Amino acid sequence: MKIGALALKDNVLLAPMAGITDLPFRSIVRGFGCSLAFTEMVSANGLVREAGKTCRYLDSSPADRPLGVQIFGSDPRTLAEAARIAAGKGADLIDVNMGCPVRKVIKTGSGAALMRDPNRAAAVLDAVRKATDLPLTVKIRAGWRPRERNALEIGRIAEACGVDAVILHPRTVDQGFGGLSDWGLIAALKAQSRIPIIGSGDVRRPGDAVRMLDETGCDAVMVGRGSLGSPWIIGDILIRLAGGVPVPMPLARREETIRRHLALASDYYGEKVGTRDFRKHLLWYTKGLRGSAQFRQVAGQITDQASVWRALEAYFHTLSSDEPDDGDDPALRDP
Ligand SMILES: Cc1cc2nc3c(=O)[nH]c(=O)nc-3n(C[C@H](O)[C@H](O)[C@H](O)COP(=O)(O)O)c2cc1C
């Protein structure tokens, strides 16, 4: 699989997720074999103004490569400048966000609002294309609402502007994350395109990835929410695509992954902020595990690393003594 000049070792990618795909989380997912990951969406304005916090979104590490940096904004010149800055700071690929439905973003004409203004969308892609030789992708939705589904039009514009691949999350903006994504639209976009098409939406189990590739003919799949609490899912998908059968993540390895993730978050953000931010991951990691309700209640209050470790140790000790067969792996459960 190639995106422009970037050759990837496989075609299963980690989706950009604001508030989630930070360097600690990406490092964990990379450890399970993820080839291409994306930053959270980064404000083009923030980058251009050199806001320290914004630049932090670009932090990476040698193991966190290749890295796609996703930028959002509405002004072509600002986005072009942001792409240059991201390239200068080591991005391997630039992705332009045209799918974010969050009010704060769309009210500035950014994110999915760009799909409602095809001329501006073209101006943005043209400007960013001219600003960098890096591989360039655009991430879009199906359209604004059912009567305004113009993903195919934006896909044509992207190709004409020299974009190297289009990522499609086929829900309309007014759908948010509800309902099902329309994989038929991914197939239609693939059928009309000469550049690679990457499908995003509802890949929750390894079998979903196989189905999306088969049913839509897309070149790659992207995993978002399926990786929450199961950062090993991309590894499981790769095993499945190679004809193997992924096995449930052993409890000991699951516990070790949580500990490693927490240690990374704590180092990166500092113990207090890192631990507080990590609570959501703890809840995802333990969702569906037996007897997790009590643990989750305790975990939701914890503010220091040592307490998390103690609570984890006690909880996993109960699990392993009760359940020597490693229990249920949400990443492998049937839908
Ligand atoms: C919490 C959350 C944050 C997200 N943030 C972004 C983002 O910053 N940029 C983006 O293009 N998509 C974002 N998305 C959308 C995902 O990249 C993906 O397209 C969508 O969740 C559908 O895929 P999934 O069913 O595999 O989750 C976000 C999704 C979630 C759930």
Side-chain angles (χ1 to χ4, degrees), residues 50-231:
E50 292 263 10
K53 183 164 181 262
T54 310
C55 293
R56 247 199 132 187
Y57 288 119
L58 271 52
D59 287 351
S60 186
S61 70
D64 179 39
R65 296 289 171 174
L67 177 65
V69 171
Q70 187 188 67
I71 52 177
F72 75 94
S74 64
D75 174 51
R77 275 194 305 188
T78 309
L79 279 151
E81 183 56 21
R84 264 186 230 108
I85 292 169
K89 291 188 184 287
D92 297 298
L93 176 152
I94 303 291
D95 178 68
V96 176
N97 181 317
M98 290 196 191
C100 180
V102 172
R103 195 182 305 270
K104 209 170 84 184
V105 172
I106 53 182
K107 83 171 187 226
T108 65
S110 311
L114 282 171
M115 290 190 72
R116 285 193 113 179
D117 188 348
N119 288 335
R120 182 173 281 265
V124 161
L125 294 177
D126 197 47
V128 177
R129 178 67 293 171
K130 288 188 175 121
T132 177
D133 290 332
L134 284 179
L136 173 63
T137 59
V138 59
K139 187 159 178 289
I140 62 176
R141 279 196 170 228
W144 192 260
R145 53 184 167 171
R147 276 186 293 135
E148 290 179 57
R149 283 161 55 97
N150 64 343
L152 299 183
E153 179 193 4
I154 301 290
R156 268 192 295 273
I157 289 172
E159 191 164 336
C161 289
V163 167
D164 296 304
V166 176
I167 306 164
L168 173 59
H169 171 209
R171 282 186 173 87
T172 54
V173 172
D174 65 0
Q175 243 184 306
F177 290 92
L180 280 182
S181 55
D182 174 11
W183 289 6
L185 193 57
I186 300 176
L189 180 62
K190 173 63 193 169
Q192 76 165 28
S193 306
R194 276 169 301 169
I195 54 175
I197 300 303
I198 300 162
S200 169
D202 305 324
V203 173
R204 302 295 192 107
R205 315 272 175 265
D208 298 331
V210 176
R211 245 180 354 98
M212 182 187 270
L213 288 165
D214 283 354
E215 289 176 16
T216 70
C218 67
D219 300 276
V221 296
M222 203 171 230
V223 184
R225 289 165 297 171
S227 65
L228 306 180
S230 308

Side-chain angles (χ1 to χ4, degrees), residues 242-260:
V245 180
V247 294
M249 180 58 58
L251 275 177
R253 187 131 187 252
R254 195 186 295 228
E255 184 184 353
E256 194 253 324
T257 301
I258 303 173
R259 283 172 182 274
R260 210 154 26 90

Side-chain angles (χ1 to χ4, degrees), residues 221-242:
V221 296
M222 203 171 230
V223 184
R225 289 165 297 171
S227 65
L228 306 180
S230 308
W232 46 82
I233 185 175
I234 288 182
D236 287 349
I237 293 172
L238 293 172
I239 291 172
R240 182 76 187 263
L241 290 174

